[in-house]
Amino acid sequence: MSYGSFAYFYDRLTENVDYKSYAAYIKRLFENYGGNKKINSVLDVACGTGSLTAELARLGFDMTGTDSSYDMLSVAREKNGEESLDILYLCQSAEELDLYGTVEGAVCTLDSINHITDEKDVIKAFEKISLFMEKDGLFIFDMNTEYKHREILGDNTFVYDLDDVYCVWQNEFDEENMTTHIYLDIFEETENGSYERFCEDFEEKVYSFEQVKKWLSGSDFELLEHFKEMTEEKPDEETQRIVYIARKK
């Protein structure tokens, strides 16, 4: 999945995401669960356009961002240059990480792991993150739940009507494969008042808590906690996104 032209609309279509608060939340989790290990160097896996990466850098973390999309990273580097933040960006998928050294922490947010629709690739991603993680380092990531896929995304359609961009987001939920196919039709207003159309489609897959815990253990991680997103409360039946906190053994 490359996201292609969607990269250039991504920030405008996700303006509701409070990256600053999310970065502060992650910092608090690093501090609360890091034990005696101070987390300084952090890898942002599937960093997209680098909004969260930049916020974590502003909080003092030594950041590396990786993503499989050249287009997303192009936007991230452009934004990074405007502020001269010292962030290393690498074009790599989660399952093909190849860093220059180890890190003390890693994050993977906004249901990026759900976008890996082959179980074997999720396992590879966990193994690669573990490989480049220092002992007692923390891996914090989130995943969309079955409830969100079935009840919120489902077979529903959402519309974003912004000043110069109009987006129709359609979903098809596959019960048998527990996969949601997502179709985006994006219309951007041109200088002459007409609209140019861009299309993207990709999938998200549901993974159970038991699967995640098993795969983490097999990748030399110990699952410490899991919470409702942006809280330290246990998930319930209507939780839409779960945050996992794992420590490298």
Side-chain angles (χ1 to χ4, degrees):
M1 179 181 60
S2 67
Y3 273 114
S5 57
F6 181 46
Y8 300 100
F9 302 103
Y10 185 83
D11 287 340
R12 277 181 281 175
L13 295 173
T14 57
E15 289 179 345
N16 61 314
V17 180
D18 188 348
Y19 290 103
K20 187 173 183 178
S21 294
Y22 212 131
Y25 173 64
I26 289 171
K27 183 176 186 288
R28 186 166 69 251
L29 295 180
F30 277 144
E31 292 171 347
N32 291 348
Y33 293 92
N36 295 325
K37 189 174 187 66
K38 180 176 175 57
I39 307 297
N40 180 51
S41 57
V42 176
L43 170 67
D44 188 357
V45 181
C47 67
T49 62
S51 295
L52 180 65
T53 325
E55 291 294 349
L56 288 169
R58 293 184 188 108
L59 290 178
F61 293 104
D62 180 10
M63 296 302 301
T64 299
T66 62
D67 200 279
S68 61
S69 169
Y70 284 103
D71 297 298
M72 287 285 193
L73 291 178
S74 176
V75 177
R77 291 190 179 104
E78 183 177 343
K79 293 193 298 184
N80 185 51
E82 293 173 357
E83 196 173 339
S84 299
L85 293 171
D86 187 16
I87 301 172
L88 173 64
Y89 287 112
L90 301 171
C91 191
Q92 299 175 357
S93 66
E95 60 270 29
E96 296 178 347
L97 285 176
D98 188 13
L99 306 183
Y100 298 109
T102 56
V103 293
E104 296 153 344
V107 299
C108 186
T109 60
L110 299 182
D111 47 271
S112 293
I113 292 173
N114 294 102
H115 287 264
I116 306 175
T117 55
D118 188 323
E119 295 181 6
K120 294 179 181 178
D121 286 337
V122 177
I123 294 171
K124 287 180 184 177
F126 285 176
E127 290 174 343
K128 284 290 188 179
I129 293 167
S130 176
L131 177 64
F132 292 100
M133 178 79 68
E134 293 185 10
K135 184 179 182 298
D136 294 327
L138 292 183
F139 176 30
I140 298 173
F141 61 98
D142 64 43
M143 299 181 72
N144 280 340
T145 63
E146 179 179 342
Y147 172 82
K148 182 172 182 179
H149 277 265
R150 188 185 301 277
E151 303 297 333
I152 306 302
L153 298 178
D155 294 309
N156 294 320
T157 298
F158 305 93
V159 174
Y160 294 84
D161 189 0
L162 307 179
D163 288 340
D164 58 345
V165 175
Y166 185 84
C167 175
V168 179
W169 168 5
Q170 301 179 80
N171 300 314
E172 292 180 0
F173 182 59
D174 184 337
E175 181 80 29
E176 181 178 353
N177 296 315
M178 296 302 288
T179 300
T180 300
H181 201 118
I182 299 168
Y183 303 89
L184 298 175
D185 281 301
I186 304 169
F187 302 85
E188 182 182 34
E189 188 174 8
T190 64
E191 292 182 356
N192 63 13
S194 62
Y195 282 82
E196 186 175 2
R197 182 183 181 186
F198 303 87
C199 300
E200 294 286 343
D201 67 279
F202 44 89
E203 292 180 331
E204 282 201 18
K205 186 174 177 64
V206 177
Y207 296 111
S208 69
F209 172 79
E210 290 74 20
Q211 286 176 303
V212 173
K213 185 176 181 180
K214 177 183 177 181
W215 296 338
L216 285 170
S217 179
S219 303
D220 212 21
F221 281 112
E222 174 191 5
L223 180 60
L224 299 180
E225 270 294 0
H226 63 297
F227 297 126
K228 296 180 185 178
E229 182 186 32
M230 295 295 289
T231 76
E232 292 186 51
E233 302 173 2
K234 288 295 185 182
D236 56 36
E237 294 180 353
E238 295 185 356
T239 297
Q240 295 186 34
R241 188 180 277 154
I242 295 176
V243 172
Y244 294 86
I245 306 166
R247 179 171 58 208
K248 174 69 180 290
K249 298 176 185 177

